[in-house]
């Protein structure tokens, strides 16, 4: 899995700059601060449609 850093981004928790890494896993973007460990997720639009409001996404699985 390729990890990319977000230039100029500031961690909302520890306020450190240039410490946020981005990975994409199962259609969900995950941003993690390498300084404090704060983690945030952002699902793609088609994944978000499968999730009920106010729930966190771990993964969306469909039976074939």
């Amino acid at each position: 899995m390729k990890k990319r850093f977000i230039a100029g981004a500031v961690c909302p928790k520890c306020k450190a700059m240039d410490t946020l890494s981005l990975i994409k896993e199962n259609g969900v973007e995950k941003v993690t601060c390498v300084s404090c460990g704060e983690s945030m997720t952002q699902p793609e639009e088609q994944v978000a449609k499968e999730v009920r409001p106010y729930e966190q996404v771990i993964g969306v699985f469909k039976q074939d």
Side-chain angles (χ1 to χ4, degrees):
M1 187 148 325
K2 191 173 188 178
K3 188 185 295 186
R4 296 178 290 174
F5 281 86
I6 306 169
V10 177
C11 175
K13 184 175 180 183
C14 72
K15 308 299 183 212
M17 183 182 267
D18 295 333
T19 60
L20 297 180
S21 69
L22 171 72
I23 62 168
K24 191 168 186 178
E25 187 175 274
N26 298 321
V28 177
E29 291 182 339
K30 182 176 180 183
V31 176
T32 304
C33 178
V34 296
S35 181
C36 71
E38 176 72 4
S39 184
M40 300 159 275
T41 59
Q42 177 66 49
E44 288 182 347
E45 188 177 326
Q46 72 268 18
V47 174
K49 290 178 184 177
E50 298 290 331
V51 180
R52 293 180 293 259
Y54 311 109
E55 290 184 336
Q56 292 182 339
V57 174
I58 295 175
V60 175
F61 303 94
K62 291 188 177 183
Q63 186 175 5
D64 291 329

